[in-house]
Amino acid sequence: MNAIIRPVKGTRDFYPPEMAGRVWLYQQMRQVSEQFGYQEYEGPILEPLDLYAAKSGEELVEKQSYVFQDRGGDKITLRPELTPTLARMVAQQQNQLTFPLRWWSFGPFWRYERPQKGRTREFFQWNIDLIGDPSPQADAELAAIAATFLKQVGLQPNEVQILVNDRELMDSALKTLGLTFEHRAAAFGLIDRRDKLTPEAWQTQASEAGLSPTQIDGLIALLENTGLWQQSDSLQQFFRAVEWFGVADYVRYSPTIIRGLQYYTGTVFEAWDTAGDFRALFGGGRYDNLVGAVGGRPVGAVGFAVGDLVISLLLQSLGKFPPYAGTPAEVFVTLFDEQHLEAALRLANELRAAGIKVASQYSPAKLGKQFKYASQIGARFAVVLGPDEIQRGQVAVKDLHTEEQTSLPRAELAGYLTRPNLT
Ligand code: HAM
């Protein structure tokens, strides 16, 4: 026997149960997106490398992107994120589009990261963005969408929190600590890496970046100042609107959120499980310069992206991921024997025409075995059409949940299988 070829490291096979989970998430995302009036869109999987060089940040572009040269010699990237594509699409049709845009998308992305809990090299993201509204209320709408989604999938405020900060606020707070422009950029990186390093390694990196001991102490104090948001007019407006959206219990200020991507200009946010068992569930923020950076006229934008993986792991760990229901077939049409193949096939068709989902048996096998198969794949009913039933104009039905067996007139079968009080 040939050896099975291994899948690419960091990719996932979606067998039907996993696929059903992904589709369920997608449905929740679609529902929440539409509830807030967002339209679905999609971009290409392949993008020119230059698109990300514009703004995403060194780590993502140089260390994590899948880049290859195509046969024409162009440098192509498997998209590591969608925001630059969105900015490009907006810039391309800026004169035709009606702003503000409310757009969402769900699709695959690739990053060459070390596979670990919550991190794969191929993953899916729900992206949702509001382009062309500079107000803090637009930012609050995105936080409300995020909270509505968390609520919809069954996560409570004591299980997840959306942590919000503002890069402008942090920048001016760092200025008061006497940090130069370069030092402030380095401090943003240090804030983002704080969870990934030991306190000692973090202090060393801070010194190496040129921060004085007083500035490092000031930075540490800043990261504990949960009242800092009161110094920001836009964050005050943001939190007021979050109240009005009715999601204040899911959203709070945290000076530790800064985000790794370079293009954010204002509000930044991430969702974390309160137990601290997982990585960020999602992240996003305001990026007012990206459309301009890819050749369009500057237009304010805010949005976020949720990966499929961390949220699934969290829901599974809390026992909140919906169980797999098995085959969509409600009914399995058995084969009595070879002579009754046509009758079985025609019956299956008749049921499908009545809107019932049906799978059928074509190769002769013992009825007991067919019932067992139908039950194992998760069908609710098995029907049998043998010579006795045909003679009497009836069909035998076995309820695979209750094991009850009945016979009924063929004309009544579809109604029986779809009766409303079925449990
Ligand atoms: P990001 O923080 O790089 O932001 O990714 C957002 C989310 O995607 C993460 O919180 C995580 O759930 C998921 N994710 C990222 N990398 C991986 C990975 N290697 N494996 C599994 N999941 C992953 C962005 O991508 C921004 N473009 C979001 C955005 C949209 N900002 C504005 N609009």
Side-chain angles (χ1 to χ4, degrees), residues 225 262 413:
N225 183 357
Q262 265 167 27
L413 179 63

Side-chain angles (χ1 to χ4, degrees), residues 91-267:
Q92 263 167 209
Q93 295 202 354
Q94 212 158 1
N95 293 333
Q96 293 91 303
L97 293 166
T98 308
F99 291 89
L101 308 171
R102 286 181 163 86
W103 287 7
W104 74 278
S105 188
F106 182 85
F109 297 86
W110 294 266
R111 292 185 194 177
Y112 195 80
E113 291 198 58
R114 189 167 63 78
Q116 53 192 298
K117 189 169 94 173
R119 278 286 177 276
T120 47
R121 290 184 174 169
E122 181 177 65
F123 58 95
F124 288 78
Q125 266 188 357
W126 171 38
N127 276 264
I128 183 155
D129 292 85
L130 170 48
I131 299 122
D133 186 332
S135 71
Q137 289 74 35
D139 301 33
E141 173 172 304
L142 271 298
I145 292 170
T148 305
F149 169 72
L150 294 172
K151 201 182 286 185
Q152 167 132 340
V153 298
L155 292 167
Q156 306 297 325
N158 64 338
E159 292 163 334
V160 277
Q161 281 283 298
I162 301 165
L163 308 180
V164 184
N165 196 6
D166 187 317
R167 279 195 173 183
E168 270 184 48
L169 172 67
M170 289 308 272
D171 197 56
S172 48
L174 292 171
K175 260 188 213 158
T176 61
L177 293 177
L179 270 69
T180 60
F181 179 78
E182 285 76 26
H183 285 162
R184 294 202 299 279
F188 273 21
L190 285 164
I191 298 173
D192 192 52
R193 284 194 301 278
R194 217 175 58 113
D195 288 342
K196 296 167 196 151
L197 300 171
T198 61
E200 296 74 33
W202 190 83
Q203 291 257 357
T204 310
Q205 285 203 2
S207 306
E208 282 168 4
L211 272 68
S212 70
T214 323
Q215 288 172 334
I216 296 174
D217 288 346
L219 180 55
I220 291 169
L222 191 63
L223 295 177
E224 282 159 11
N225 183 357
T226 53
L228 190 68
W229 66 276
Q230 282 153 347
Q231 294 173 22
S232 157
D233 177 54
S234 68
L235 275 184
Q236 285 187 28
Q237 290 192 54
F238 170 88
F239 281 110
R240 217 172 298 139
V242 161
E243 283 270 348
W244 300 337
F245 276 111
V247 294
D249 46 352
Y250 278 95
V251 189
R252 71 184 155 87
Y253 177 72
S254 172
T256 62
I257 301 300
I258 204 77
R259 310 268 303 131
L261 294 162
Q262 265 167 27
Y263 48 67
Y264 294 114
T265 52
T267 318

Side-chain angles (χ1 to χ4, degrees), residues 13 22 45 64 81 97 140 144 176 244 308 316 327 388 403 411:
D13 293 327
R22 191 171 106 196
I45 303 289
Q64 296 183 342
E81 58 154 335
L97 293 166
T176 61
W244 300 337
D308 66 317
Q316 278 156 9
T327 175
D388 291 353
E403 300 276 312

Side-chain angles (χ1 to χ4, degrees), residues 371-406:
F371 286 149
K372 193 169 167 205
Y373 169 77
S375 170
Q376 272 175 346
I377 62 168
R380 174 68 195 264
F381 295 103
V383 300
V384 184
L385 199 54
D388 291 353
E389 284 84 15
I390 291 177
Q391 207 191 6
R392 286 184 280 128
Q394 295 223 322
V395 185
V397 185
K398 181 167 181 177
D399 184 327
L400 298 164
H401 284 188
T402 62
E403 300 276 312
E404 270 168 56
Q405 229 164 310
T406 61

